[in-house]
Amino acid sequence: MKRLHFHILATLIVMVLSYQVNAQTDYSYKNKSLPIETRVQDLLGRMTLEEKAGQLNQLNGGVLTGPQAANDPGQQGKLKLLRDGKIGSFLNVVGAAETKAVQKIAIEESRLGIPLLFAYDVIHGFKTVFPIPLAEACSWEPAMAEKASGIAANEAAAAGLHWTFAPMMDLTRDPRWGRVMEGSGEDPLINSVFAAARVRGFQGNFDNHHVMACVKHFAAYGQPEGGKEYNTVDMSRYSFWNTYSPSYHAAVDAGAATVMNSFNVFDGIPATANKFLNTDVLRNRWGFKGFLVSDWASYGELITHGVAADAAEAALKGILAGSQMDMESSAVVNNLPQLIKDGKVPQSLLDDAVSKILYWKFKLGLFDDPYKYSDEKREAATMLTPASLETARDAARKSMVLLKNDKNTLPLSKNTKNVLVAGFFADSQEDALDFWCGKGEAKDVVTYRNGIANKLPKATINYAQGYEASGKTNGKLLVDLKKKARGADVIVAVIGITGKHAGEARSLADITPPEGQMEMLRALKASGKPFVVVVHAARPMVLTEVEKLAPAILNAWIGGTAMGNGAADVLFGDYNPSAKTVISFPVSVGQIPVYYNAYSTGRPHEDGHDGPNDFWVSRYRDIPNSPLYPFGYGMSYTSFEYGDLKLSAAEMTASQTVTATVSVKNTGSREGEEIVQLYLRDLVGTYSRPVKELKGFEKINLKPSESKTVTFTIDSKMLSYFDFDGNTLLEPGKFQVFVGGNSRDVKTADLRLK
Ligand code: BGC
């Protein structure tokens, strides 16, 4: 009996032990059924210090396989690092076949087989190029930007990519800055809603038809002094909290997986080494859970900024401040293990960063199927589909802002027999693409000339170059222009700035149209023929002289692959323009920065008040204070009349709300869309407050003679703001409420917060 008992007991012990052994095996990171956190911890426990630092290393890949790479020591060096477990991510490795081949090396030839993340700048489209983000924001239709980002993500994911470095949401008030095109203009609310929409569009539900988004550039990169790229940023914390930070916060709240450092200093400390930004604000205040990536070489640039003596100190300062993945500088991979061994950096900081990066690799499913994004068949079938091109066309026409339209010059008749399309940019596919056009190709772009030809298949469409590609005057081209103008019924003249001057490192000191373009317009004016001007530029230009000459101006921005079709829809009335600019158009370069939401000054100047007693006020003596076209401005082919603004109550408490209603009527003869805008002004606060702040908007569609009542609910959040430390202030007192079709022409009512 005793023996039997012993036998049973022994069997039980063996069972328990073997169960534990099995369970332990099951606890490997390879076990799909375990929670991600458990898998991450398991894997972390198996990694060496060097392998951990390797996960924080992101390099510019390019083409890493094939005969050319095989003979390139630089590329072979990167592959060696990969095999040694010293690379966590590549940027610029693109295409289903290439990503698959490189991933295979990571999986099969590195010790732990940790999959790579492939990242790329998918800013406004991958293969199907959408309008520049600044233009898209002028639609005031975040749902459209979300859809466009979704299409871009689907194309990018089919090409093996997991991660886009977008959206950029650096609020800027300076059109000289080349990257003004990547953001959503000068207003915090517009930047925020578009940032969140794009994050949703890119990321979807993290399946292999979407890509991780990256909130960039954190923070305040949009305000380099003088609009000069990579220049110093110097702003008050008050402005940071109220104006510049909300869009990043909105994107983090929308669930963005990653955030990117900016190149600039903030309060004198480069963003990559800035603990206030990366730890205090991003992690502690906003609760960001994803991982942070540096901008290109921005760890290394701590040396040139003059805050680190060498790469080791750069890595030290960046990591201690809360920065994580190192794009391209190799400071982290080369120095962090030693810094930890020397006790200068706590191991927990590295473990935390690696855990976050691994988390996303698990979350995307790459440990279970490392090749799930790299499908050549799907890649071939996904790009430039008719549906994507149709969305791009819709986005283009909804982004184009009608700035001027004397005597209903536009829309042009579709019965026109002879159209002259003039201007170098009218016929150039190359100049329609910018630095951030992804894998978009010039050959796929529909130019303005072709768009118009598509619209009027029976008409004669002539073309005259008008000015040199550089913008210079050319006598021969002018003679040709004048000759062709004589035979035309109408002329569509395209001026602007090449897409090649849009984006990073492309700041311009002068954004007025060059002389050759103006000569062309003067010649057209002299011809006596009806003409309209299309402006092709990825920033607002100074159009003061153009405005004097041209009967009609359509600001087409840079509209992507389908821009010519989109423009033709607007020019010939198949689409009634509805866009409103999200950035002020300056009267002259000297007026920059000019923006609607400026703080009240002690000596404000009102336009038109230029009498002898209006001298000691904040103004230039040679130009007006107001921009040429204000924020929120854009015309339609129909007209809208605003009724009186009514508030449901003249007073409210912090827990109450007040509704502001206005009736808007279509008083013209065409159906059209109007963007109704709500602004507020806090008349007395502890801090000097902006003269107007956008707080809400609604895009409505009205048939001729139709009226609609638009209602905005004003709550205490809209009346509050941030102090210097980022604390919310809600201060009783007087407010003004404004509603209108742009930031200048508004109806006003008074409101008091008790
Ligand atoms: C830019 C980033 C971009 C990165 C990778 C940097 O120069 O500032 O916006 O994502 O390069 O291409």
Side-chain angles (χ1 to χ4, degrees):
M1 199 59 181
K2 258 190 184 170
R3 262 195 171 185
L4 187 66
H5 276 156
F6 177 77
H7 193 74
I8 292 172
L9 193 67
T11 315
L12 274 171
I13 289 171
V14 169
M15 275 173 69
V16 167
L17 281 179
S18 70
Y19 174 78
Q20 273 183 349
V21 169
N22 281 336
Q24 256 168 20
T25 323
D26 277 343
Y27 265 89
S28 135
Y29 66 97
K30 298 202 167 153
N31 181 349
K32 284 186 202 183
S33 58
L34 292 175
I36 293 182
E37 288 74 11
T38 314
R39 300 177 76 184
V40 167
Q41 284 316 311
D42 174 76
L43 180 52
L44 203 62
R46 296 168 194 259
M47 295 169 78
T48 64
L49 209 49
E50 284 68 25
E51 283 166 336
K52 287 179 182 174
Q55 285 302 302
L56 268 59
N57 191 29
Q58 183 185 58
L59 289 188
N60 179 35
V63 179
L64 290 159
T65 66
Q68 215 178 329
N71 294 317
D72 180 337
Q75 295 305 76
Q76 290 312 305
K78 292 177 199 170
L79 291 181
K80 174 161 183 348
L81 289 174
L82 178 59
R83 293 187 178 100
D84 292 347
K86 289 189 175 171
I87 296 189
S89 170
F90 276 119
L91 71 151
N92 299 334
V93 174
V94 187
E98 179 69 6
T99 51
K100 193 184 278 178
V102 178
Q103 190 72 295
K104 199 161 183 282
I105 297 173
I107 299 297
E108 294 178 7
E109 300 179 43
S110 74
R111 188 178 75 91
L112 291 165
I114 301 176
L116 286 159
L117 285 174
F118 294 113
Y120 191 63
D121 290 284
V122 184
I123 309 292
H124 56 112
F126 181 72
K127 199 77 181 177
T128 307
V129 184
F130 291 89
I132 57 165
L134 178 66
E136 265 185 3
C138 294
S139 70
W140 299 54
E141 237 182 86
M144 192 196 70
E146 186 172 337
K147 189 172 173 193
S149 304
I151 292 172
N154 189 32
E155 290 186 349
L161 297 167
H162 310 127
W163 180 17
T164 176
F165 296 132
M168 188 202 90
M169 60 212 57
D170 299 319
L171 184 143
T172 188
R173 295 162 162 175
D174 201 323
R176 291 170 299 183
W177 190 45
R179 305 194 79 166
V180 62
M181 59 155 293
E182 287 175 62
S184 298
E186 72 193 34
D187 177 72
L189 177 66
I190 292 288
N191 270 281
S192 298
V193 296
F194 275 88
R198 292 188 172 118
V199 167
R200 290 193 299 269
F202 284 130
Q203 295 193 154
N205 48 2
F206 299 107
D207 60 15
N208 63 352
H209 291 270
H210 291 89
V211 290
M212 295 193 295
C214 185
V215 179
K216 80 184 191 187
H217 308 81
F218 195 63
Y221 179 30
Q223 215 55 321
E225 285 179 355
K228 188 170 68 182
E229 183 66 297
Y230 312 131
N231 204 5
T232 298
V233 171
D234 198 0
M235 67 171 61
S236 69
R237 290 267 174 109
Y238 175 56
S239 288
F240 170 70
W241 286 115
N242 287 286
T243 307
Y244 295 90
S245 79
S247 49
Y248 308 112
H249 194 181
V252 168
D253 278 353
T258 70
V259 171
M260 185 186 290
N261 295 137
S262 58
F263 285 129
N264 53 282
V265 294
F266 185 86
D267 278 346
I269 299 175
T272 305
N274 198 306
K275 180 175 164 294
F276 167 75
L277 292 178
N278 303 327
T279 303
D280 302 351
V281 177
L282 193 60
R283 297 286 179 196
N284 299 344
R285 199 181 274 252
W286 293 348
F288 173 60
K289 298 271 185 299
F291 69 90
L292 197 58
V293 61
S294 79
D295 202 350
W296 183 289
S298 69
Y299 268 97
E301 287 170 14
L302 296 179
I303 303 170
T304 39
H305 268 294
V307 301
D310 51 28
E313 197 182 0
L316 175 76
K317 287 206 163 177
I319 291 285
L320 289 182
S323 289
Q324 299 181 323
M325 189 180 271
D326 174 0
M327 183 198 295
E328 240 335 75
S329 91
S330 300
V332 169
V333 72
N334 291 340
N335 296 288
L336 191 53
Q338 193 57 45
L339 289 168
I340 289 177
K341 286 177 202 155
D342 293 347
K344 291 187 178 157
V345 173
Q347 164 96 34
S348 59
L349 274 184
L350 173 61
D351 284 352
D352 179 56
V354 178
S355 306
K356 289 191 161 91
I357 293 164
L358 293 178
Y359 173 89
W360 284 100
K361 293 184 174 184
F362 279 109
K363 171 91 177 159
L364 299 186
L366 298 177
F367 278 93
D368 308 327
D369 179 1
Y371 313 108
K372 64 190 272 202
Y373 289 68
S374 307
D375 176 343
E376 284 164 88
K377 261 199 202 145
R378 192 181 120 206
E379 181 180 37
T382 304
M383 307 299 160
L384 289 170
T385 64
S388 303
L389 289 171
E390 200 42 48
T391 305
R393 177 182 193 150
D394 193 40
R397 62 193 180 193
K398 281 180 170 165
S399 303
M400 295 181 181
V401 186
L402 182 62
L403 295 174
K404 181 175 179 186
N405 194 16
D406 270 3
K407 299 191 192 128
N408 297 328
T409 313
L410 284 171
L412 304 173
S413 162
K414 282 202 262 182
N415 296 324
T416 311
K417 299 254 169 349
N418 281 288
V419 182
L420 173 62
V421 184
F424 174 75
F425 294 130
D427 195 35
S428 170
Q429 292 178 307
E430 250 82 46
D431 294 85
L433 293 183
D434 62 278
F435 182 56
W436 295 123
C437 67
K439 288 285 172 195
E441 287 180 82
K443 70 173 178 47
D444 296 321
V445 172
V446 180
T447 63
Y448 302 101
R449 180 187 184 178
N450 289 340
I452 291 169
N454 293 342
K455 183 65 73 187
L456 306 184
K458 292 191 188 130
T460 305
I461 313 293
N462 244 321
Y463 169 70
Q465 186 182 319
Y467 50 86
E468 289 185 6
S470 66
K472 287 208 181 97
T473 308
N474 177 311
K476 269 194 198 154
L477 292 176
L478 276 177
V479 170
D480 177 59
L481 172 90
K482 289 177 194 165
K483 197 177 98 205
K484 288 176 177 159
R486 278 196 288 275
D489 300 327
V490 69
I491 300 140
V492 176
V494 183
I495 62 165
I497 304 176
T498 168
K500 294 170 191 151
H501 287 172
E504 186 177 352
R506 286 155 174 88
S507 290
L508 294 173
D510 188 2
I511 53 171
T512 51
E515 194 43 38
Q517 299 185 0
M518 294 310 296
E519 279 290 320
M520 174 182 82
L521 297 187
R522 284 191 278 269
L524 293 179
K525 171 112 180 161
S527 78
K529 290 285 167 129
F531 74 105
V532 301
V533 172
V534 171
V535 184
H536 172 84
R539 43 161 64 86
M541 295 182 77
V542 171
L543 297 175
T544 307
E545 294 307 313
V546 177
E547 151 94 22
K548 288 178 193 156
L549 281 171
I553 307 173
L554 179 68
N555 198 76
W557 303 111
I558 291 196
T561 310
M563 67 176 198
N565 287 332
D569 288 344
V570 178
L571 294 170
F572 292 89
D574 283 340
Y575 181 76
N576 185 357
S578 62
K580 308 252 189 187
T581 185
V582 292
I583 185 160
S584 304
F585 279 69
V587 157
S588 69
V589 171
Q591 200 190 30
I592 299 168
V594 57
Y595 50 95
Y596 86 96
N597 44 0
Y599 299 130
S600 315
T601 64
R603 296 183 176 196
H605 171 260
E606 271 179 68
D607 267 342
H609 290 238
D610 298 324
N613 295 334
D614 298 307
F615 195 85
W616 305 102
V617 291
S618 174
R619 60 175 293 210
Y620 297 107
R621 304 238 70 95
D622 52 348
I623 54 165
N625 272 12
S626 303
L628 187 62
Y629 305 110
F631 175 85
Y633 171 85
M635 297 176 76
S636 161
Y637 294 151
T638 190
S639 49
F640 300 102
E641 201 179 276
Y642 281 69
D644 286 338
L645 167 61
K646 292 191 192 111
L647 299 186
S648 60
E651 294 186 334
M652 63 183 267
T653 62
S655 59
Q656 289 174 326
T657 58
V658 161
T659 55
T661 49
V662 68
S663 116
V664 184
K665 183 171 184 191
N666 182 344
T667 50
S669 54
R670 277 170 177 266
E671 183 172 351
E673 286 164 305
E674 170 69 337
I675 299 162
V676 184
Q677 302 158 36
L678 169 79
Y679 297 88
L680 286 178
R681 177 177 184 176
D682 182 354
L683 283 166
V684 184
T686 303
Y687 290 72
S688 190
R689 308 286 300 124
V691 294
K692 258 181 207 138
E693 290 179 287
L694 182 74
K695 293 292 172 179
F697 59 88
E698 194 176 325
K699 194 169 183 177
I700 54 172
N701 187 290
L702 292 172
K703 302 220 160 58
S705 301
E706 192 187 1
S707 292
K708 269 184 194 159
T709 300
V710 176
T711 303
F712 296 103
T713 303
I714 300 172
D715 59 17
S716 58
K717 188 157 186 273
M718 284 186 188
L719 305 180
S720 69
Y721 65 104
F722 295 112
D723 70 5
F724 175 89
D725 289 317
N727 304 310
T728 303
L729 291 182
L730 181 64
E731 301 183 319
K734 268 174 124 180
F735 289 79
Q736 277 179 319
V737 182
F738 314 92
V739 172
N742 64 63
S743 62
R744 182 189 58 203
D745 307 309
V746 289
K747 302 276 180 176
T748 310
D750 293 331
L751 176 67
R752 175 179 286 280
L753 177 69
K754 288 197 281 193

